[in-house]
């Protein structure tokens, strides 16, 4: 198992804030909009340097998406910022009609996704957003795994033409990816090569997959770990190549197993290469209040859950 | 009057203590507008509303209350506990794992007193209207109360509801606005000004009254007066001016305490200003 270490922990939303600031410096068409959550979305640096390119819309997410769609018509590249729940479910039809169907270059940037939002509870903890967004034709869906990857992804989506959903979170987690990485939309990252099982992880679950990989190595199981940061378009090639080698797969995501990354992988495999698969994901449930660690543990999203899923799926190999 | 003003003020003082202790206990939550609305909740539950603490979802023959700005759950939970819906010891579980006192109010955990989830802003007025329509169909003349944040009024759904209620003569509805002039990113006047709310609601066909939400006498009288206006063809809007953080000096006059928990020292400073009147949980 390749050794991964980290010297600091940071929140992915801060990676977004830093990436937005960079993207703003690189391209004067980059504009940002926020619905009364500037601090939570870490937009301060962008606002300080480009105040005229920032729009505070107030607590009015539907209006924000519509305004963003309109700004693309004047050549702007709008980044909208609010919590994941209010970025998706709240404004689904506005996104569907004015952004996705109209193919507008809006970047929907969503913080506080998943259970790790913590104490605010289920009203704010969306576990369905990946599903909602990936179902929209033409929508790119990205869920980066640490500060550096989120920053790189933010810069990359500014350079990509078309609607994007970028999902990130609130907790501070290890920073373990390359600070100078070039982010390629739709290209999986090989975290660790292995032969016994393919672990496919996204977002906050990637570090947990690495922890699981270390435990599995101690048990004599050689896990291949792939980071799928882009859930749509899915890197079919990388997944099929790995699964051909290992013969079984475990998908890991901080999301409902109904409609998430795991289902995208299952759809691919069932048509191309039927393979035993286990899902580490929430199981058709809402969240609740608690600390992020408590919730990840209660809802089965820890390294031990990945280890158990791997043992189970290996047992299912023919 | 069921209580004297002094008695109501004492209840409010205890609720304010609970709020800061609850938010301190889990180091998260929203003290600012909870404190600002404490006098309103006290007046509503200890003087104005008719209800049973033997909770049923339908609440037939009872006045019902809906909190649209769900983040001020601490004040509601403490009020419900002191009103007898559940034991006040449960307040210690606020926002903790496996609690019925979720960060934002929910029916999912079956906490008595709560009839709908809120937290995602802008939905409560519609729900209150729906409950009022159902009561009308049931021939139940009880009153529906709702509370909305002022920043929350930036959500468009409120204005869909604001247009619907007068047109449909939903006149057993008293909606109050927590008019504290603050939201997360700053004063409402700087983020997205609401301007003349009275004129806006009147233009939509509401009967608008103004109250001072941090003067117990005024808020009790204001709500009693609002009740006399029900059944006259118009919904009633209570524009209630409040101070975010009311009762704790260092939390007042700023939006900084919208969603920030006090540390140990700040807790002590807050509690020193709030007499313990009914016993801490
Ligand atoms: C739909 C939605 N958007 C954003 C938020 C995040 N949020 C929670 S409270 C709040 C500010 C609310 O302002 P106001 O209604 O004035 O309440 P106050 O600040 O006075 O407590 C925001 C933006 C939310 N809960 N729901």
């Amino acid at each position: 198992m390749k050794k991964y270490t980290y010297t600091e922990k940071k929140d992915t939303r801060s990676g977004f804030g830093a990436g937005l600031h960079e993207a703003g410096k690189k391209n004067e068409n980059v504009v940002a909009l926020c619905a009364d959550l500037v601090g939570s979305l870490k937009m301060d640096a962008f606002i300080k340097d480009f105040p005229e390119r920032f729009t505070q819309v107030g607590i009015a997410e539907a209006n924000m998406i519509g305004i963003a769609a309109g700004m693309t018509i004047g050549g702007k590249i709008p980044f909208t910022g609010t919590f994941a729940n209010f970025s998706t479910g709240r404004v689904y039809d506005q996104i569907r009609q004015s952004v996705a169907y109209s193919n507008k270059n809006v970047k929907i940037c969503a913080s506080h996704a998943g259970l790790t939002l913590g104490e605010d509870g289920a009203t704010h903890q969306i576990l369905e957003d990946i599903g909602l967004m990936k179902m929209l034709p033409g929508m790119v869906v990205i869920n980066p795994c640490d500060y550096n990857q989120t920053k790189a992804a933010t810069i990359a989506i500014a350079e990509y033409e078309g609607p994007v959903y970028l999902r990130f979170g609130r907790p501070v987690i290890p920073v373990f990816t390359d600070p100078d990485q070039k982010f390629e939309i739709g290209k999986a990252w090989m975290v660790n090569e292995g032969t016994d099982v393919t672990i496919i992880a996204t977002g906050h679950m990637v570090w947990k997959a690495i922890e699981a990989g270390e435990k599995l190595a101690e048990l004599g199981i050689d896990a291949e770990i792939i980071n799928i940061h882009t859930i749509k378009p899915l890197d079919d090639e990388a997944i099929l190549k790995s699964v051909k080698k290992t013969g079984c797969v475990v998908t890991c995501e901080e999301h409902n197993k109904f409609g998430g990354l795991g289902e995208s992988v299952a759809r691919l495999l069932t048509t191309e290469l039927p393979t035993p698969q286990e899902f580490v994901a929430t199981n058709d449930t809402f969240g609740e209040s608690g600390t992020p660690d408590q919730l990840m543990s209660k809802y089965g999203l820890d390294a031990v859950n990945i280890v158990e899923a791997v043992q189970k799926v290996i047992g299912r190999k023919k | 009057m069921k209580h004297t003003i002094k008695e109501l003020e004492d209840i409010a003082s205890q609720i304010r203590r609970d709020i800061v202790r609850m938010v301190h206990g889990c180091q998260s939550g929203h003290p600012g507008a909870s404190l600002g609305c404490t006098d309103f909740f006290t007046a509503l539950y200890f003087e104005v509303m008719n209800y049973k603490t033997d909770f049923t979802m339908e609440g037939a023959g009872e006045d019902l209350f809906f909190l649209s700005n769900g983040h001020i759950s601490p004040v509601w939970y403490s009020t419900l506990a002191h009103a007898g819906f559940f034991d006040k010891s449960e307040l210690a579980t606020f926002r903790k794992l496996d609690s019925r006192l979720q960060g934002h109010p929910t029916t999912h955990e079956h906490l008595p007193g709560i009839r709908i989830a809120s937290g995602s802003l802008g939905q409560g007025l519609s729900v209150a209207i729906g409950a009022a329509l159902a009561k009308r169909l049931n021939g139940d003349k009880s009153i529906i109360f709702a509370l909305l944040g002022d920043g929350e009024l930036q959500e468009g759904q409120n204005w869909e509801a604001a247009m619907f209620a007068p047109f449909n003569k939903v006149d057993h509805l008293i909606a109050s606005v927590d008019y504290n002039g603050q939201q997360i990113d700053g004063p409402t006047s700087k983020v997205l000004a609401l301007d003349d709310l009275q004129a806006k609601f009147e233009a939509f066909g509401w009967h608008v009254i103004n109250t001072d939400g941090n003067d117990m006498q005024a808020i009790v009288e204001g709500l009693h007066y609002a009740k006399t206006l029900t059944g006259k063809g118009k919904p009633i809007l209570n524009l209630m001016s409040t101070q975010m953080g009311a009762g704790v000096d260092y939390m007042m006059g700023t939006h900084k305490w919208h969603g920030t928990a006090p540390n140990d020292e700040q807790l002590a400073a807050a509690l020193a200003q709030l007499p313990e009147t009914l016993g801490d949980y």
Side-chain angles (χ1 to χ4, degrees):
Chain A
M1 174 76 196
K2 193 167 157 188
K3 189 85 200 131
Y4 282 92
T5 53
Y6 63 91
T7 50
E8 57 178 340
K9 287 185 168 190
K10 284 189 189 177
D11 44 1
T12 51
R13 61 181 165 148
S14 288
F16 164 71
L20 178 66
H21 188 219
E22 276 304 305
K25 283 194 253 179
K26 282 189 171 181
N27 186 340
E28 63 177 24
N29 279 325
V30 168
V31 297
L33 299 91
C34 190
D36 196 28
L37 286 170
V38 161
S40 294
L41 268 286
K42 305 289 177 189
M43 285 178 156
D44 313 80
F46 182 93
I47 297 170
K48 183 164 166 286
D49 282 358
F50 313 110
E52 74 293 348
R53 283 154 56 190
F54 171 73
T55 303
Q56 168 66 267
V57 297
I59 314 169
E61 295 80 9
N63 196 32
M64 175 165 74
I65 296 294
I67 291 172
M71 288 181 90
T72 66
I73 295 168
K76 302 301 165 200
I77 307 171
F79 282 64
T80 64
T82 180
F83 292 167
N85 185 36
F86 315 137
S87 293
T88 56
R90 179 86 190 180
V91 291
Y92 198 63
D93 191 44
Q94 283 76 12
I95 294 175
R96 183 174 181 274
Q97 173 171 294
S98 304
V99 178
Y101 183 46
S102 300
N103 192 27
K104 295 303 178 209
N105 194 20
V106 176
K107 316 302 171 187
I108 300 157
C109 302
S111 186
H112 293 53
L115 292 172
T116 49
L117 164 139
E119 290 84 351
D120 272 345
T123 51
H124 289 51
Q125 286 161 340
I126 194 161
L127 295 163
E128 310 95 48
D129 55 324
I130 291 175
L132 285 171
M133 289 296 117
K134 79 175 188 181
M135 280 198 297
L136 289 171
M139 181 67 72
V140 166
V141 179
I142 299 175
N143 184 195
C145 67
D146 76 347
Y147 174 94
N148 288 336
Q149 195 180 67
T150 310
K151 182 177 172 192
T154 307
I155 295 166
I157 63 173
E159 290 160 11
Y160 166 86
E161 173 83 30
V164 175
Y165 178 61
L166 182 69
R167 176 195 215 235
F168 42 91
R170 174 172 186 251
V172 289
I173 56 153
V175 181
F176 57 96
T177 70
D178 180 1
D180 304 316
Q181 67 193 275
K182 174 97 182 93
F183 186 92
E184 275 189 73
I185 295 171
K187 192 105 184 80
W189 170 46
M190 178 62 75
V191 180
N192 186 60
E193 292 194 40
T195 52
D196 296 334
V197 60
T198 302
I199 300 175
I200 297 177
T202 195
H204 293 142
M205 295 304 288
V206 177
W207 182 255
K208 304 227 177 221
I210 291 172
E211 289 177 332
E214 285 163 1
K215 288 192 184 120
L216 288 165
E218 288 167 20
L219 300 172
I221 296 171
D222 182 18
E224 178 140 306
I225 304 173
I226 297 178
N227 168 218
I228 291 287
H229 46 62
T230 309
I231 292 153
K232 189 179 170 197
L234 195 65
D235 190 344
D236 296 1
E237 206 183 314
I239 294 169
L240 290 172
K241 191 172 161 212
S242 173
V243 168
K244 257 179 208 140
K245 177 171 63 171
T246 62
C248 63
V249 60
V250 171
T251 49
C252 315
E253 61 197 309
E254 188 184 342
H255 188 273
N256 194 350
K257 73 178 176 189
F258 291 65
L261 165 69
E263 275 196 359
S264 289
V265 171
R267 174 193 47 76
L268 169 70
L269 294 178
T270 201
T271 45
E272 301 286 334
L273 183 68
T275 305
Q277 177 177 349
E278 292 293 329
F279 295 73
V280 175
T282 59
N283 186 8
D284 201 25
T285 178
F286 291 104
E288 65 179 288
S289 294
T291 67
D293 285 345
Q294 286 174 335
L295 294 168
M296 292 296 268
S297 151
K298 175 164 177 178
Y299 289 86
L301 301 181
D302 269 337
V304 295
N305 306 104
I306 302 177
V307 170
E308 282 167 16
V310 164
Q311 288 170 323
K312 188 166 172 205
V313 84
I314 286 178
R316 290 174 54 203
K317 275 208 254 188
K318 293 211 183 75
Chain B
M1 292 269 291
K2 298 173 196 159
H3 296 89
T4 64
I5 294 298
K6 170 79 173 69
E7 282 166 352
L8 292 172
E9 285 169 348
D10 284 349
I11 297 170
S13 179
Q14 186 63 48
I15 293 174
R16 286 192 162 94
R17 280 182 76 84
D18 292 351
I19 292 167
V20 286
R21 291 183 66 234
M22 288 162 73
V23 171
H24 172 265
C26 60
Q27 282 300 297
S28 73
H30 300 79
S34 293
L35 292 166
C37 292
T38 301
D39 305 306
F40 167 78
F41 274 84
T42 307
L44 198 63
Y45 274 86
F46 292 89
E47 201 54 46
V48 177
M49 276 209 310
N50 299 313
Y51 59 87
K52 302 190 193 99
T53 54
D54 191 5
F55 179 72
T56 61
M57 180 54 79
E58 186 177 329
E62 298 178 53
D63 296 338
L64 310 183
F65 171 69
F66 293 95
L67 179 67
S68 189
N69 45 335
H71 59 280
I72 70 168
S73 57
V75 61
W76 197 13
Y77 294 154
S78 170
T79 303
L80 288 173
H82 290 291
F85 282 86
F86 52 87
D87 197 274
K88 69 182 178 189
S89 62
E90 203 168 339
L91 297 175
T93 69
F94 175 58
R95 283 184 167 241
K96 295 187 175 154
L97 196 68
D98 299 322
S99 173
R100 296 199 294 178
L101 278 59
Q102 290 289 300
H104 293 78
T106 161
T107 53
H108 194 258
E109 277 76 14
H110 306 292
L111 188 69
I114 294 181
R115 293 189 166 86
I116 198 116
S118 60
S120 180
L121 295 168
Q123 306 185 22
L125 187 54
S126 304
V127 174
I129 291 170
L133 290 179
K135 283 217 184 269
R136 184 156 79 192
L137 287 170
N138 293 342
D140 181 344
K141 296 247 181 290
S142 318
I143 298 172
I144 305 290
F145 292 87
L147 180 64
L148 323 173
D150 53 356
E152 185 185 14
L153 291 178
Q154 292 160 354
E155 289 286 4
Q157 185 178 341
N158 288 301
W159 301 97
E160 298 173 22
M163 191 180 294
F164 179 97
F167 177 72
N168 289 283
K169 301 197 167 33
V170 182
D171 60 0
H172 281 74
L173 172 65
I174 301 173
S176 297
V177 173
D178 175 22
Y179 208 178
N180 63 18
Q182 307 285 352
Q183 57 188 107
I184 291 184
D185 284 348
T188 303
S189 58
K190 294 238 172 76
V191 174
L192 181 63
L194 303 166
D195 286 333
D196 193 341
L197 273 185
Q198 170 150 6
K200 286 180 181 172
F201 273 94
E202 281 173 351
F204 276 79
W206 291 65
H207 189 128
V208 180
I209 64 167
N210 289 274
T211 55
D212 179 345
N214 293 135
D215 176 330
M216 191 61 80
Q217 179 96 38
I219 188 65
V220 168
E221 282 171 8
L223 288 172
H224 278 311
Y225 173 60
K227 274 171 87 164
T228 68
L229 300 172
T230 58
K232 297 192 159 58
K234 285 184 175 194
I236 295 115
L237 188 89
N238 170 28
L239 262 186
M240 178 176 73
S241 41
T242 65
Q243 270 266 8
M244 194 174 251
V248 177
D249 53 8
Y250 65 86
M251 290 190 184
M252 288 162 66
T254 166
H255 62 274
K256 298 228 168 66
W257 292 91
H258 162 90
T260 308
N263 61 27
D264 294 351
E265 241 167 80
Q266 290 162 334
L267 174 71
L271 293 179
Q273 301 167 44
L274 302 168
E276 180 182 348
T277 47
L278 307 175
D280 286 342
Y281 63 81

